[in-house]
Amino acid sequence: MLRRDFLKGLGGIWPALCAGQHGARPGFRLTDVTAQAGIHFVHNSGAFGKKYLPETMGSGCAFFDYDNDGWQDILLVNAMDWPGHKRQRTTLKLYRNNRNGTFTDVTRAAGLDVEMYGLGVAIGDYNNDGFPDLFISCLGQSRLFRNTGKGTFVDVTRTSGLWGFDGFSTSAMWFDYDRDGFLDLFVTNYVRWTQEGDIFCSFDGNSKAYCTPEAYRGATCWLFRNRGDGTFEDVTAKAGVLDTTSKSLGVTLLDFNNDGWPDVFVANDTQPNKLYTNLRNGRFLEQAVRIGLAFSEDGRARAGMGVDAADVDNSGLVSIIVTNFDNEMMGLYRGTRDGQFVDRAPQAGIGQATRHSLGFGCFFFDPDLDGMLDLLIVNGHIDESISRARRNVTHAQPPHLFMNDGKGYFRDVSRLVGEAFAAPKVARGAAYGDFDNDGDLDILITTNNGPAYLYRNDVENGNRSVRIRLVGTRSNRDAVGAVVKFQAGDLSGSRMVKSATGYLSQSEMPITIGLGRREQLDRVEVFWPSGRTEEYKGLRAGERYRIEEGKGLTAGRL
């Protein structure tokens, strides 16, 4: 995140906001509906002048259907005031979807009115009872909340075996690494920091500044295996993911070698990124250096924060985006047929466009429903005083919304889809979900020490989609790790059901496949985590489908 050259000149100027944003509008519009939707949330970092490192990090957000009514609800993570400097009481917020474009704050009624220094969220049905549970990653003790199925959550951190793992936990992810039908939990940790051990850092020799991560020792990620009885076992060392040099901020699920077993990519800050290859025996092999994912093209460990992986070019091969610090362009690693990765950000139009941005949340999605995955990156600097040191760099920064032309090039259209959306923000988390059930993907963004934003997507080009929710039986209930391969005339590609999204956040579980003007998905193959494969034909454009493993397809519901 922060590097030693934090206040050194860049030798350039901030690129014009309109660079690369010429041409016609991309066929959809993003409208800020936060207030009219009833979302009233302001993140509290607890900052009171001491410039503690965790204050710069949060927070995350999520779209998920906690009450299983078929409508996406919203969760916003919050931190709290520091001990001894209490000014207000702040908690996370759960907003229930009223199915009419508005939301109701049900935090207290749901049993989530709990103070914690929260950072990230991961959502998954760890006990396979049909209702999504919540893991909130925190500074200190993270929390696991079990969904009772009655509109409430119960804190089961102690009884689950997750109590006592204190850390500077950031992004987290549910996935079934051993394919036993139960979701396991991967938690990333940043550095070894405590309030008592806070280090004084300064760039002018007088006033305190937020330290770079080099000031602190790294911390290992954690892997917890789900025993299937409501408890978890720490298998970090046994599984081969113990690494105390890491300074991890982002994690994503992928199957980079297409062997049907879930692999894990971790974005590290000023340390090499990690790629944990699943060996299918309960262990992982780290090989990011070998396959070209650890460093930038010039061999440097960059300031990795957010990360996502997807079949961007509909080739069946995975690509990975990693957001980095300013003066470090984003990484866009494209997979090759021989199992290697090459950073194509400069050639793809993403490199130069992001060189002066400080990126956090990111994800691949299809907002214009043309069948090609596009890319959102939200940005914001760390220190509010940065503009005094570098006049061409601002604290609040505009997002990047890159549209995929299907030929390996991306065009930033953020200013063309809505003025409010393009406005500079000190952004952190981001997630997508179809909250109004109109078939396109809406956007949720959080800011550091500021409000959350909900943007409704209105597709204006006539394109339609097919939305699919997978429900596992032999596989984990959420079907995390399942791959859907599709074909619609000349369009084909693949999508994976995943937990974590970008940075500290999670997007909705259902898969949205844009069809453009095509009338149907001619063919869909579902590759379940259990190893089962199913095929379906003739899924109609504009329709929603629920596919239950081994039991078939139901139209009209998710």
Side-chain angles (χ1 to χ4, degrees):
M1 190 178 59
L2 292 177
R3 299 187 62 84
R4 293 188 187 278
D5 57 1
F6 177 74
L7 293 179
K8 292 182 179 179
L10 293 178
I13 62 172
W14 184 272
L17 290 178
C18 60
Q21 299 201 16
H22 49 79
R25 275 181 50 197
F28 66 98
R29 189 159 188 84
L30 296 171
T31 302
D32 184 351
V33 296
T34 313
Q36 69 188 68
I39 305 297
H40 305 290
F41 174 86
V42 177
H43 174 248
N44 172 31
S45 70
F48 65 100
K50 288 290 187 179
K51 294 207 169 183
Y52 292 145
L53 181 59
E55 296 168 357
T56 67
M57 308 302 293
S59 65
C61 58
F63 279 114
F64 77 123
D65 183 8
Y66 86 96
D67 53 2
N68 276 354
D69 67 348
W71 293 76
Q72 293 297 313
D73 308 299
I74 286 174
L75 186 132
L76 298 164
V77 180
N78 212 342
M80 59 185 287
D81 287 336
W82 296 104
H85 295 273
K86 195 74 173 177
R87 298 166 298 180
Q88 59 183 321
R89 186 177 189 275
T90 50
T91 71
L92 58 75
K93 290 293 182 182
L94 174 62
Y95 290 94
R96 187 188 68 231
N97 194 324
N98 297 327
R99 313 183 198 181
N100 61 1
T102 69
F103 293 79
T104 297
D105 182 350
V106 295
T107 310
R108 185 182 295 268
L112 294 173
D113 187 32
V114 181
E115 273 199 303
M116 62 192 104
Y117 203 100
L119 290 168
V121 55
I123 294 168
D125 183 5
Y126 77 89
N127 55 4
N128 287 337
D129 68 350
F131 290 91
D133 309 298
L134 301 177
F135 179 81
I136 307 296
S137 59
C138 298
L139 176 69
Q141 177 64 59
S142 297
R143 305 291 187 93
L144 176 62
F145 295 94
R146 178 176 59 82
N147 191 332
T148 67
K150 301 176 182 179
T152 61
F153 292 83
V154 177
D155 189 339
V156 294
T157 312
R158 288 184 182 274
T159 57
S160 68
L162 298 178
W163 190 264
F165 290 87
D166 285 18
F168 191 158
S169 298
T170 51
S171 295
M173 177 181 75
W174 294 101
F175 74 130
D176 184 8
Y177 81 93
D178 51 4
R179 297 195 348 183
D180 66 350
F182 291 93
L183 288 175
D184 311 298
L185 180 63
F186 194 98
V187 181
T188 66
N189 289 293
Y190 191 34
V191 295
R192 301 185 191 184
W193 182 94
T194 63
Q195 187 176 358
E196 297 75 21
D198 181 66
I199 296 173
F200 183 90
C201 295
S202 176
F203 296 106
D204 61 10
N206 298 308
S207 57
K208 190 174 190 292
Y210 287 114
C211 290
T212 71
E214 291 104 327
Y216 297 95
R217 290 185 296 166
T220 185
C221 299
W222 295 323
L223 176 59
F224 299 100
R225 186 183 70 85
N226 189 336
R227 295 190 178 102
D229 60 0
T231 67
F232 293 82
E233 171 193 5
D234 176 17
V235 295
T236 306
K238 183 165 63 176
V241 299
L242 180 68
D243 178 11
T244 58
T245 68
S246 286
K247 299 177 180 180
S248 305
L249 291 174
V251 61
T252 194
L253 181 67
L254 70 163
D255 179 9
F256 88 95
N257 53 8
N258 289 323
D259 67 352
W261 288 76
D263 309 308
V264 179
F265 180 87
V266 176
N268 281 321
D269 185 358
T270 69
Q271 294 292 314
N273 299 321
K274 305 292 181 181
L275 189 283
Y276 294 103
T277 305
N278 197 322
L279 298 180
R280 314 184 205 178
N281 60 2
R283 292 185 56 80
F284 291 84
L285 175 66
E286 201 292 299
Q287 50 181 338
V289 172
R290 186 186 70 80
I291 63 176
L293 288 170
F295 305 105
S296 65
E297 289 295 283
D298 58 359
R300 294 187 303 113
R302 291 185 286 194
M305 286 169 280
V307 59
D308 197 17
D311 179 7
V312 174
D313 52 8
N314 287 342
S315 66
L317 299 174
V318 70
S319 293
I320 300 172
I321 184 74
V322 183
T323 61
N324 296 308
F325 203 69
D326 72 289
N327 205 29
E328 295 181 334
M329 66 180 66
M330 303 299 103
L332 177 62
Y333 300 92
R334 287 188 180 272
T336 63
R337 295 289 175 189
D338 60 359
Q340 298 291 303
F341 284 83
V342 178
D343 188 354
R344 302 293 296 174
Q347 296 84 354
I350 291 175
Q352 190 59 36
T354 61
R355 180 174 292 279
H356 300 298
S357 302
L358 201 167
F360 278 93
C362 62
F363 50 74
F364 294 111
F365 74 139
D366 186 6
D368 61 346
L369 303 181
D370 68 347
M372 300 298 300
L373 290 177
D374 308 303
L375 172 62
L376 175 70
I377 300 171
V378 300
N379 307 299
H381 217 280
I382 304 303
D383 200 311
E384 70 280 358
S385 63
I386 184 62
S387 59
R388 294 201 299 268
R390 283 155 51 182
R391 288 177 296 175
N392 295 321
V393 179
T394 56
H395 189 211
Q397 299 179 0
H400 297 294
L401 181 52
F402 291 106
M403 304 305 293
N404 185 349
D405 72 354
K407 301 176 182 178
Y409 193 81
F410 291 80
R411 178 173 68 106
D412 189 352
V413 300
S414 55
R415 293 187 67 206
L416 302 177
V417 297
E419 292 182 9
F421 173 77
K425 302 172 182 65
V426 187
R428 294 295 185 263
Y432 63 82
D434 182 9
F435 81 85
D436 51 2
N437 273 346
D438 65 351
D440 56 35
L441 295 172
D442 311 299
I443 296 173
L444 185 63
I445 297 175
T446 64
T447 63
N448 185 253
N449 236 23
Y453 296 91
L454 177 63
Y455 295 97
R456 188 188 67 229
N457 183 9
D458 296 306
V459 172
E460 302 168 335
N461 57 14
N463 289 351
R464 292 184 292 172
S465 68
V466 170
R467 285 174 50 77
I468 301 171
R469 180 189 173 196
L470 301 182
V471 179
T473 53
R474 288 174 53 201
S475 303
N476 67 85
R477 179 81 177 181
D478 288 328
V480 173
V483 174
V484 174
K485 294 186 178 180
F486 61 88
Q487 183 172 0
D490 60 339
L491 175 69
S492 63
S494 63
R495 305 288 184 261
M496 175 183 278
V497 179
K498 297 191 297 181
S499 169
T501 302
Y503 175 75
L504 306 180
S505 301
Q506 178 158 337
S507 297
E508 64 173 12
M509 289 284 194
I511 290 175
T512 298
I513 300 173
L515 292 179
R517 303 295 180 89
R518 301 170 184 86
E519 292 298 323
Q520 66 175 17
L521 279 177
D522 300 324
R523 182 167 174 261
V524 166
E525 284 185 285
V526 181
F527 296 84
W528 297 92
S530 66
R532 182 185 179 96
T533 302
E534 297 174 359
E535 181 177 322
Y536 301 92
K537 295 182 179 180
L539 279 66
R540 299 184 302 275
E543 188 60 270
R544 295 177 294 167
Y545 294 90
R546 174 188 175 105
I547 300 177
E548 193 164 357
E549 185 180 14
K551 299 182 180 180
L553 175 148
T554 304
R557 61 172 297 196
L558 289 178

